[in-house]
PDB file of all heavy atoms in Angstrom:
ATOM      1  N   ASP A 178       0.823  -1.225  -0.021  1.00 89.00           N
ATOM      2  CA  ASP A 178       0.011   0.006   0.013  1.00 89.00           C
ATOM      3  C   ASP A 178       0.871   1.271   0.007  1.00 89.00           C
ATOM      4  O   ASP A 178       0.538   2.265  -0.670  1.00 89.00           O
ATOM      5  CB  ASP A 178      -0.925   0.016   1.236  1.00 89.00           C
ATOM      6  CG  ASP A 178      -1.966  -1.076   1.159  1.00 89.00           C
ATOM      7  OD1 ASP A 178      -2.173  -1.610   0.068  1.00 89.00           O
ATOM      8  OD2 ASP A 178      -2.561  -1.397   2.214  1.00 89.00           O
ATOM      9  N   LEU A 179       1.979   1.214   0.732  1.00 90.00           N
ATOM     10  CA  LEU A 179       2.869   2.368   0.763  1.00 90.00           C
ATOM     11  C   LEU A 179       3.546   2.583  -0.602  1.00 90.00           C
ATOM     12  O   LEU A 179       3.823   3.723  -0.992  1.00 90.00           O
ATOM     13  CB  LEU A 179       3.922   2.215   1.866  1.00 90.00           C
ATOM     14  CG  LEU A 179       3.409   2.229   3.304  1.00 90.00           C
ATOM     15  CD1 LEU A 179       4.539   1.951   4.286  1.00 90.00           C
ATOM     16  CD2 LEU A 179       2.785   3.599   3.618  1.00 90.00           C
ATOM     17  N   ASP A 180       3.832   1.475  -1.275  1.00 90.00           N
ATOM     18  CA  ASP A 180       4.387   1.615  -2.639  1.00 90.00           C
ATOM     19  C   ASP A 180       3.402   2.333  -3.561  1.00 90.00           C
ATOM     20  O   ASP A 180       3.770   3.184  -4.374  1.00 90.00           O
ATOM     21  CB  ASP A 180       4.722   0.232  -3.207  1.00 90.00           C
ATOM     22  CG  ASP A 180       5.929  -0.380  -2.513  1.00 90.00           C
ATOM     23  OD1 ASP A 180       6.709   0.349  -1.895  1.00 90.00           O
ATOM     24  OD2 ASP A 180       6.059  -1.629  -2.575  1.00 90.00           O
ATOM     25  N   GLU A 181       2.133   2.005  -3.394  1.00 90.00           N
ATOM     26  CA  GLU A 181       1.100   2.667  -4.217  1.00 90.00           C
ATOM     27  C   GLU A 181       1.000   4.155  -3.841  1.00 90.00           C
ATOM     28  O   GLU A 181       0.821   5.023  -4.737  1.00 90.00           O
ATOM     29  CB  GLU A 181      -0.266   2.004  -4.000  1.00 90.00           C
ATOM     30  CG  GLU A 181      -0.326   0.561  -4.506  1.00 90.00           C
ATOM     31  CD  GLU A 181      -1.652  -0.119  -4.195  1.00 90.00           C
ATOM     32  OE1 GLU A 181      -2.526   0.572  -3.620  1.00 90.00           O
ATOM     33  OE2 GLU A 181      -1.810  -1.316  -4.554  1.00 90.00           O
ATOM     34  N   ALA A 182       1.104   4.476  -2.556  1.00 88.00           N
ATOM     35  CA  ALA A 182       1.057   5.872  -2.131  1.00 88.00           C
ATOM     36  C   ALA A 182       2.261   6.626  -2.687  1.00 88.00           C
ATOM     37  O   ALA A 182       2.148   7.802  -3.082  1.00 88.00           O
ATOM     38  CB  ALA A 182       1.046   5.968  -0.604  1.00 88.00           C
ATOM     39  N   GLU A 183       3.437   6.006  -2.707  1.00 88.00           N
ATOM     40  CA  GLU A 183       4.620   6.651  -3.250  1.00 88.00           C
ATOM     41  C   GLU A 183       4.465   6.955  -4.738  1.00 88.00           C
ATOM     42  O   GLU A 183       4.841   8.012  -5.239  1.00 88.00           O
ATOM     43  CB  GLU A 183       5.862   5.774  -3.004  1.00 88.00           C
ATOM     44  CG  GLU A 183       7.153   6.418  -3.483  1.00 88.00           C
ATOM     45  CD  GLU A 183       8.360   5.538  -3.194  1.00 88.00           C
ATOM     46  OE1 GLU A 183       8.182   4.329  -2.897  1.00 88.00           O
ATOM     47  OE2 GLU A 183       9.484   6.044  -3.257  1.00 88.00           O
ATOM     48  N   ALA A 184       3.862   5.987  -5.475  1.00 88.00           N
ATOM     49  CA  ALA A 184       3.617   6.184  -6.920  1.00 88.00           C
ATOM     50  C   ALA A 184       2.611   7.296  -7.149  1.00 88.00           C
ATOM     51  O   ALA A 184       2.727   8.085  -8.070  1.00 88.00           O
ATOM     52  CB  ALA A 184       3.175   4.876  -7.542  1.00 88.00           C
ATOM     53  N   LEU A 185       1.616   7.358  -6.265  1.00 89.00           N
ATOM     54  CA  LEU A 185       0.584   8.381  -6.395  1.00 89.00           C
ATOM     55  C   LEU A 185       1.110   9.768  -6.119  1.00 89.00           C
ATOM     56  O   LEU A 185       0.578  10.762  -6.644  1.00 89.00           O
ATOM     57  CB  LEU A 185      -0.597   8.020  -5.435  1.00 89.00           C
ATOM     58  CG  LEU A 185      -1.802   8.942  -5.489  1.00 89.00           C
ATOM     59  CD1 LEU A 185      -2.468   8.889  -6.867  1.00 89.00           C
ATOM     60  CD2 LEU A 185      -2.816   8.489  -4.403  1.00 89.00           C
ATOM     61  N   MET A 186       2.193   9.869  -5.311  1.00 86.00           N
ATOM     62  CA  MET A 186       2.720  11.174  -4.913  1.00 86.00           C
ATOM     63  C   MET A 186       3.236  11.985  -6.093  1.00 86.00           C
ATOM     64  O   MET A 186       3.185  13.215  -6.110  1.00 86.00           O
ATOM     65  CB  MET A 186       3.850  10.965  -3.870  1.00 86.00           C
ATOM     66  CG  MET A 186       4.180  12.246  -3.106  1.00 86.00           C
ATOM     67  SD  MET A 186       5.432  11.946  -1.849  1.00 86.00           S
ATOM     68  CE  MET A 186       4.728  10.642  -0.902  1.00 86.00           C
ATOM     69  N   LEU A 187       3.696  11.334  -7.128  1.00 85.00           N
ATOM     70  CA  LEU A 187       4.216  12.033  -8.286  1.00 85.00           C
ATOM     71  C   LEU A 187       3.109  12.723  -9.081  1.00 85.00           C
ATOM     72  O   LEU A 187       3.299  13.840  -9.599  1.00 85.00           O
ATOM     73  CB  LEU A 187       4.961  11.047  -9.202  1.00 85.00           C
ATOM     74  CG  LEU A 187       6.209  10.399  -8.585  1.00 85.00           C
ATOM     75  CD1 LEU A 187       6.779   9.326  -9.532  1.00 85.00           C
ATOM     76  CD2 LEU A 187       7.246  11.445  -8.264  1.00 85.00           C
ATOM     77  N   SER A 188       1.934  12.073  -9.136  1.00 89.00           N
ATOM     78  CA  SER A 188       0.829  12.663  -9.935  1.00 89.00           C
ATOM     79  C   SER A 188      -0.136  13.457  -9.101  1.00 89.00           C
ATOM     80  O   SER A 188      -0.706  14.436  -9.569  1.00 89.00           O
ATOM     81  CB  SER A 188       0.102  11.523 -10.678  1.00 89.00           C
ATOM     82  OG  SER A 188      -0.412  10.596  -9.713  1.00 89.00           O
ATOM     83  N   ASP A 189      -0.333  13.068  -7.856  1.00 93.00           N
ATOM     84  CA  ASP A 189      -1.333  13.720  -7.001  1.00 93.00           C
ATOM     85  C   ASP A 189      -0.835  13.707  -5.553  1.00 93.00           C
ATOM     86  O   ASP A 189      -1.246  12.863  -4.764  1.00 93.00           O
ATOM     87  CB  ASP A 189      -2.666  13.020  -7.127  1.00 93.00           C
ATOM     88  CG  ASP A 189      -3.808  13.834  -6.516  1.00 93.00           C
ATOM     89  OD1 ASP A 189      -3.500  14.822  -5.813  1.00 93.00           O
ATOM     90  OD2 ASP A 189      -5.001  13.466  -6.716  1.00 93.00           O
ATOM     91  N   PRO A 190       0.039  14.675  -5.188  1.00 91.00           N
ATOM     92  CA  PRO A 190       0.578  14.703  -3.811  1.00 91.00           C
ATOM     93  C   PRO A 190      -0.522  14.803  -2.752  1.00 91.00           C
ATOM     94  O   PRO A 190      -0.386  14.237  -1.670  1.00 91.00           O
ATOM     95  CB  PRO A 190       1.486  15.938  -3.791  1.00 91.00           C
ATOM     96  CG  PRO A 190       1.802  16.184  -5.240  1.00 91.00           C
ATOM     97  CD  PRO A 190       0.596  15.754  -5.997  1.00 91.00           C
ATOM     98  N   GLY A 191      -1.608  15.525  -3.060  1.00 91.00           N
ATOM     99  CA  GLY A 191      -2.681  15.664  -2.080  1.00 91.00           C
ATOM    100  C   GLY A 191      -3.370  14.346  -1.782  1.00 91.00           C
ATOM    101  O   GLY A 191      -3.648  14.036  -0.616  1.00 91.00           O
ATOM    102  N   ALA A 192      -3.617  13.540  -2.828  1.00 92.00           N
ATOM    103  CA  ALA A 192      -4.247  12.244  -2.629  1.00 92.00           C
ATOM    104  C   ALA A 192      -3.299  11.287  -1.870  1.00 92.00           C
ATOM    105  O   ALA A 192      -3.740  10.509  -1.005  1.00 92.00           O
ATOM    106  CB  ALA A 192      -4.615  11.642  -3.987  1.00 92.00           C
ATOM    107  N   ALA A 193      -1.990  11.409  -2.176  1.00 92.00           N
ATOM    108  CA  ALA A 193      -1.008  10.586  -1.472  1.00 92.00           C
ATOM    109  C   ALA A 193      -1.013  10.956   0.013  1.00 92.00           C
ATOM    110  O   ALA A 193      -0.950  10.075   0.900  1.00 92.00           O
ATOM    111  CB  ALA A 193       0.375  10.764  -2.087  1.00 92.00           C
ATOM    112  N   MET A 194      -1.077  12.250   0.301  1.00 92.00           N
ATOM    113  CA  MET A 194      -1.092  12.730   1.687  1.00 92.00           C
ATOM    114  C   MET A 194      -2.328  12.222   2.390  1.00 92.00           C
ATOM    115  O   MET A 194      -2.266  11.789   3.567  1.00 92.00           O
ATOM    116  CB  MET A 194      -1.064  14.261   1.699  1.00 92.00           C
ATOM    117  CG  MET A 194      -0.926  14.859   3.085  1.00 92.00           C
ATOM    118  SD  MET A 194       0.763  14.602   3.666  1.00 92.00           S
ATOM    119  CE  MET A 194       0.586  15.220   5.333  1.00 92.00           C
ATOM    120  N   GLU A 195      -3.457  12.239   1.709  1.00 92.00           N
ATOM    121  CA  GLU A 195      -4.692  11.787   2.310  1.00 92.00           C
ATOM    122  C   GLU A 195      -4.629  10.292   2.614  1.00 92.00           C
ATOM    123  O   GLU A 195      -5.063   9.831   3.667  1.00 92.00           O
ATOM    124  CB  GLU A 195      -5.860  12.091   1.344  1.00 92.00           C
ATOM    125  CG  GLU A 195      -7.232  11.699   1.923  1.00 92.00           C
ATOM    126  CD  GLU A 195      -8.364  12.057   0.969  1.00 92.00           C
ATOM    127  OE1 GLU A 195      -8.081  12.690  -0.083  1.00 92.00           O
ATOM    128  OE2 GLU A 195      -9.511  11.690   1.278  1.00 92.00           O
ATOM    129  N   ARG A 196      -4.023   9.523   1.680  1.00 92.00           N
ATOM    130  CA  ARG A 196      -3.912   8.097   1.921  1.00 92.00           C
ATOM    131  C   ARG A 196      -2.980   7.792   3.119  1.00 92.00           C
ATOM    132  O   ARG A 196      -3.275   6.927   3.937  1.00 92.00           O
ATOM    133  CB  ARG A 196      -3.369   7.381   0.670  1.00 92.00           C
ATOM    134  CG  ARG A 196      -3.125   5.908   0.873  1.00 92.00           C
ATOM    135  CD  ARG A 196      -2.778   5.192  -0.413  1.00 92.00           C
ATOM    136  NE  ARG A 196      -3.933   5.120  -1.296  1.00 92.00           N
ATOM    137  CZ  ARG A 196      -3.990   4.333  -2.386  1.00 92.00           C
ATOM    138  NH1 ARG A 196      -2.967   3.549  -2.667  1.00 92.00           N
ATOM    139  NH2 ARG A 196      -5.044   4.319  -3.158  1.00 92.00           N
ATOM    140  N   LEU A 197      -1.899   8.542   3.188  1.00 93.00           N
ATOM    141  CA  LEU A 197      -0.936   8.335   4.302  1.00 93.00           C
ATOM    142  C   LEU A 197      -1.540   8.749   5.650  1.00 93.00           C
ATOM    143  O   LEU A 197      -1.267   8.137   6.666  1.00 93.00           O
ATOM    144  CB  LEU A 197       0.352   9.121   4.056  1.00 93.00           C
ATOM    145  CG  LEU A 197       1.225   8.621   2.886  1.00 93.00           C
ATOM    146  CD1 LEU A 197       2.314   9.621   2.537  1.00 93.00           C
ATOM    147  CD2 LEU A 197       1.818   7.266   3.213  1.00 93.00           C
ATOM    148  N   ASN A 198      -2.374   9.754   5.640  1.00 93.00           N
ATOM    149  CA  ASN A 198      -3.098  10.155   6.839  1.00 93.00           C
ATOM    150  C   ASN A 198      -4.157   9.136   7.255  1.00 93.00           C
ATOM    151  O   ASN A 198      -4.596   9.083   8.407  1.00 93.00           O
ATOM    152  CB  ASN A 198      -3.776  11.530   6.671  1.00 93.00           C
ATOM    153  CG  ASN A 198      -2.832  12.654   7.021  1.00 93.00           C
ATOM    154  OD1 ASN A 198      -2.102  12.578   8.016  1.00 93.00           O
ATOM    155  ND2 ASN A 198      -2.844  13.718   6.220  1.00 93.00           N
ATOM    156  N   GLY A 199      -4.562   8.309   6.284  1.00 92.00           N
ATOM    157  CA  GLY A 199      -5.607   7.340   6.573  1.00 92.00           C
ATOM    158  C   GLY A 199      -5.142   6.135   7.393  1.00 92.00           C
ATOM    159  O   GLY A 199      -5.957   5.369   7.891  1.00 92.00           O
ATOM    160  N   TYR A 200      -3.848   5.941   7.529  1.00 92.00           N
ATOM    161  CA  TYR A 200      -3.328   4.839   8.327  1.00 92.00           C
ATOM    162  C   TYR A 200      -3.385   5.151   9.817  1.00 92.00           C
ATOM    163  O   TYR A 200      -3.071   6.275  10.231  1.00 92.00           O
ATOM    164  CB  TYR A 200      -1.867   4.506   7.961  1.00 92.00           C
ATOM    165  CG  TYR A 200      -1.705   3.945   6.594  1.00 92.00           C
ATOM    166  CD1 TYR A 200      -1.106   4.680   5.571  1.00 92.00           C
ATOM    167  CD2 TYR A 200      -2.079   2.638   6.307  1.00 92.00           C
ATOM    168  CE1 TYR A 200      -0.941   4.176   4.309  1.00 92.00           C
ATOM    169  CE2 TYR A 200      -1.908   2.117   5.072  1.00 92.00           C
ATOM    170  CZ  TYR A 200      -1.325   2.859   4.054  1.00 92.00           C
ATOM    171  OH  TYR A 200      -1.175   2.338   2.804  1.00 92.00           O
ATOM    172  N   ASP A 201      -3.779   4.187  10.570  1.00 92.00           N
ATOM    173  CA  ASP A 201      -3.681   4.283  12.056  1.00 92.00           C
ATOM    174  C   ASP A 201      -2.326   3.657  12.417  1.00 92.00           C
ATOM    175  O   ASP A 201      -2.221   2.451  12.586  1.00 92.00           O
ATOM    176  CB  ASP A 201      -4.836   3.547  12.758  1.00 92.00           C
ATOM    177  CG  ASP A 201      -4.768   3.719  14.277  1.00 92.00           C
ATOM    178  OD1 ASP A 201      -3.825   4.365  14.773  1.00 92.00           O
ATOM    179  OD2 ASP A 201      -5.653   3.172  14.959  1.00 92.00           O
ATOM    180  N   ILE A 202      -1.311   4.498  12.491  1.00 93.00           N
ATOM    181  CA  ILE A 202       0.053   3.941  12.667  1.00 93.00           C
ATOM    182  C   ILE A 202       0.236   3.301  14.045  1.00 93.00           C
ATOM    183  O   ILE A 202       1.225   2.601  14.259  1.00 93.00           O
ATOM    184  CB  ILE A 202       1.131   5.029  12.445  1.00 93.00           C
ATOM    185  CG1 ILE A 202       0.995   6.158  13.481  1.00 93.00           C
ATOM    186  CG2 ILE A 202       0.985   5.596  11.019  1.00 93.00           C
ATOM    187  CD1 ILE A 202       2.134   7.159  13.385  1.00 93.00           C
ATOM    188  N   ALA A 203      -0.691   3.546  14.951  1.00 92.00           N
ATOM    189  CA  ALA A 203      -0.596   2.877  16.268  1.00 92.00           C
ATOM    190  C   ALA A 203      -0.765   1.366  16.120  1.00 92.00           C
ATOM    191  O   ALA A 203      -0.357   0.599  17.014  1.00 92.00           O
ATOM    192  CB  ALA A 203      -1.666   3.435  17.222  1.00 92.00           C
ATOM    193  N   GLU A 204      -1.356   0.913  14.981  1.00 90.00           N
ATOM    194  CA  GLU A 204      -1.582  -0.494  14.752  1.00 90.00           C
ATOM    195  C   GLU A 204      -0.476  -1.166  13.968  1.00 90.00           C
ATOM    196  O   GLU A 204      -0.543  -2.380  13.698  1.00 90.00           O
ATOM    197  CB  GLU A 204      -2.925  -0.697  14.008  1.00 90.00           C
ATOM    198  CG  GLU A 204      -4.127  -0.157  14.779  1.00 90.00           C
ATOM    199  CD  GLU A 204      -4.321  -0.873  16.100  1.00 90.00           C
ATOM    200  OE1 GLU A 204      -4.069  -2.085  16.164  1.00 90.00           O
ATOM    201  OE2 GLU A 204      -4.686  -0.175  17.084  1.00 90.00           O
ATOM    202  N   PHE A 205       0.548  -0.423  13.566  1.00 91.00           N
ATOM    203  CA  PHE A 205       1.662  -1.018  12.834  1.00 91.00           C
ATOM    204  C   PHE A 205       2.339  -2.037  13.744  1.00 91.00           C
ATOM    205  O   PHE A 205       2.395  -1.885  14.958  1.00 91.00           O
ATOM    206  CB  PHE A 205       2.659   0.048  12.393  1.00 91.00           C
ATOM    207  CG  PHE A 205       2.216   0.870  11.210  1.00 91.00           C
ATOM    208  CD1 PHE A 205       2.974   1.908  10.727  1.00 91.00           C
ATOM    209  CD2 PHE A 205       1.008   0.604  10.570  1.00 91.00           C
ATOM    210  CE1 PHE A 205       2.563   2.687   9.647  1.00 91.00           C
ATOM    211  CE2 PHE A 205       0.591   1.359   9.503  1.00 91.00           C
ATOM    212  CZ  PHE A 205       1.366   2.383   9.022  1.00 91.00           C
ATOM    213  N   ASN A 206       2.921  -3.061  13.079  1.00 88.00           N
ATOM    214  CA  ASN A 206       3.582  -4.130  13.846  1.00 88.00           C
ATOM    215  C   ASN A 206       5.032  -4.296  13.497  1.00 88.00           C
ATOM    216  O   ASN A 206       5.681  -5.282  13.917  1.00 88.00           O
ATOM    217  CB  ASN A 206       2.866  -5.465  13.582  1.00 88.00           C
ATOM    218  CG  ASN A 206       1.469  -5.506  14.165  1.00 88.00           C
ATOM    219  OD1 ASN A 206       1.280  -5.196  15.342  1.00 88.00           O
ATOM    220  ND2 ASN A 206       0.495  -5.845  13.347  1.00 88.00           N
ATOM    221  N   ASP A 207       5.584  -3.346  12.729  1.00 89.00           N
ATOM    222  CA  ASP A 207       6.959  -3.514  12.269  1.00 89.00           C
ATOM    223  C   ASP A 207       7.646  -2.152  12.219  1.00 89.00           C
ATOM    224  O   ASP A 207       7.073  -1.193  11.684  1.00 89.00           O
ATOM    225  CB  ASP A 207       6.993  -4.197  10.917  1.00 89.00           C
ATOM    226  CG  ASP A 207       8.376  -4.582  10.477  1.00 89.00           C
ATOM    227  OD1 ASP A 207       9.051  -3.716   9.897  1.00 89.00           O
ATOM    228  OD2 ASP A 207       8.829  -5.699  10.780  1.00 89.00           O
ATOM    229  N   SER A 208       8.860  -2.047  12.720  1.00 92.00           N
ATOM    230  CA  SER A 208       9.588  -0.771  12.708  1.00 92.00           C
ATOM    231  C   SER A 208       9.983  -0.377  11.301  1.00 92.00           C
ATOM    232  O   SER A 208      10.067   0.834  11.008  1.00 92.00           O
ATOM    233  CB  SER A 208      10.831  -0.873  13.594  1.00 92.00           C
ATOM    234  OG  SER A 208      11.662  -1.935  13.192  1.00 92.00           O
TER     235      SER A 208
END
């Protein structure tokens, strides 16, 4: 999913930002 957000950042930085804000990083399980 992060790879998709990185690809989206080149064409639509706002959409990429919105996608990255959509993650609840408190639930991540890997550093």
